Amino acid sequence: MRRQSISFTEPNDEWLKSQIENKEYSSKSELVNDLIRQARNQQQQIDLIRLKLERAEKSGFTSDSKSEILSQSKKLLNG
């Protein structure tokens, strides 16, 4: 594992300390690594949504009514 030295603003450092004091994490390193993992997962979800939106935009428009679109969506969600 690589070792890094980073600086925190006072409010961020206090928040980090409070998380450790509350036994949420055992160290600042563990907490920062978890935050980075969460940010990476969130970015993956954003990228997936962006990809789906781009595909949808490229697929064109529909002449279906709102109720038809809603019905089709529900069928897709419910299997």
Side-chain angles (χ1 to χ4, degrees), residues 25-54:
Y25 297 91
S26 62
S27 68
K28 288 181 184 178
S29 293
E30 181 185 351
L31 173 53
V32 170
N33 273 309
D34 188 44
L35 291 171
I36 291 170
R37 272 191 295 277
Q38 289 177 37
R40 289 173 58 200
N41 287 337
Q42 185 179 36
Q43 187 61 52
Q44 287 177 336
Q45 291 175 346
I46 290 168
D47 292 343
L48 179 60
I49 291 169
R50 185 173 286 124
L51 177 65
K52 288 181 177 185
L53 286 172
E54 288 171 359

Side-chain angles (χ1 to χ4, degrees), residues 1-73:
M1 195 177 301
R2 292 188 179 184
R3 192 167 177 83
Q4 299 285 321
S5 174
I6 58 174
S7 300
F8 298 107
T9 62
E10 188 173 334
N12 287 344
D13 189 50
E14 291 302 317
W15 183 82
L16 288 168
K17 287 178 185 175
S18 73
Q19 297 303 301
I20 294 165
E21 289 170 4
N22 291 334
K23 308 277 192 236
E24 294 293 323
Y25 297 91
S26 62
S27 68
K28 288 181 184 178
S29 293
E30 181 185 351
L31 173 53
V32 170
N33 273 309
D34 188 44
L35 291 171
I36 291 170
R37 272 191 295 277
Q38 289 177 37
R40 289 173 58 200
N41 287 337
Q42 185 179 36
Q43 187 61 52
Q44 287 177 336
Q45 291 175 346
I46 290 168
D47 292 343
L48 179 60
I49 291 169
R50 185 173 286 124
L51 177 65
K52 288 181 177 185
L53 286 172
E54 288 171 359
R55 286 182 184 165
E57 287 175 349
K58 290 178 184 176
S59 71
F61 294 95
T62 182
S63 59
D64 294 346
S65 69
K66 290 180 193 178
S67 61
E68 290 171 323
I69 294 170
L70 181 60
S71 175
Q72 291 170 13
S73 298

